[in-house]
Amino acid sequence: MTIIDKIAWIFIENRRILSTKSFGKDKYYLPGGKREGNETDQQTLVREIEEELNVIINQQSINYFGTFKAQAHGHASNILVQMICYKADYSGTLQASSEIEEVKWLQYSDREHISAVDQIIFEELKAKNEID
């Protein structure tokens, strides 16, 4: 079994969760990505969010939310993705970078448009009454 290790940002506003869709992809994903070299989770989160959404994560506000695993979307059945999720505040104006086709605020009913691991995260957020 191969595991793709990713860091993700959970940001909720008005009971909707911030999601992105990269060019060439057919699903929305929580913003974030893979670590580079010996980066910590926090360093990866800050770098990825700045690269994808042109905002700066407030490092003092970073709070671990959970770790979730599921089949990696678009990969062979023996490849899982592990998402280590954090909540955090930010400064700046959300703006999609050149790698992001669309930024969208999703709700629980949008689950069919997201990856399998994001569906598990949405279930958790719904169970905690954080999203509609």
Side-chain angles (χ1 to χ4, degrees), residues 10-19 30 104-110 122 125 130-132:
I10 294 177
F11 190 77
I12 298 169
E13 190 170 274
N14 299 321
R15 299 184 57 79
R16 292 176 185 254
I17 187 166
L18 180 68
S19 295
L30 294 177
K104 192 168 184 175
W105 294 93
L106 300 179
Q107 56 191 21
Y108 184 74
S109 61
D110 294 313
F122 273 45
L125 291 166
E130 295 190 40
I131 60 172
D132 287 331

Side-chain angles (χ1 to χ4, degrees), residues 6-9 32-52 55-60 62 84 86 88:
K6 296 183 95 174
I7 306 300
W9 183 36
K34 297 176 192 169
R35 72 183 80 243
E36 293 181 356
N38 292 324
E39 282 182 328
T40 65
D41 288 2
Q42 291 77 13
Q43 290 168 330
T44 303
L45 182 70
V46 169
R47 178 185 51 77
E48 283 287 344
I49 299 311
E50 185 173 5
E51 287 176 2
E52 291 183 4
V55 297
I56 305 298
I57 292 291
N58 175 341
Q59 293 189 42
Q60 289 71 39
I62 296 173
I84 303 169
Y86 293 88

Side-chain angles (χ1 to χ4, degrees), residues 23 36 63 85 99:
F23 285 97
E36 293 181 356
N63 188 27
C85 300
E99 68 185 65

Side-chain angles (χ1 to χ4, degrees), residues 69-132:
K69 288 182 186 175
Q71 169 63 41
H73 179 70
H75 291 271
S77 62
N78 65 335
I79 300 178
L80 299 179
V81 64
Q82 171 179 275
M83 294 273 264
I84 303 169
C85 300
Y86 293 88
K87 290 183 175 184
D89 296 325
Y90 71 94
S91 59
T93 303
L94 291 169
Q95 182 180 8
S97 71
S98 59
E99 68 185 65
I100 302 297
E101 179 179 8
E102 185 179 1
V103 176
K104 192 168 184 175
W105 294 93
L106 300 179
Q107 56 191 21
Y108 184 74
S109 61
D110 294 313
R111 288 182 326 283
E112 68 190 65
H113 304 292
I114 60 177
S115 68
V117 71
D118 284 13
Q119 288 179 14
I120 295 168
I121 296 163
F122 273 45
E123 292 290 341
E124 180 82 8
L125 291 166
K126 181 70 170 172
K128 291 183 175 190
N129 197 31
E130 295 190 40
I131 60 172
D132 287 331

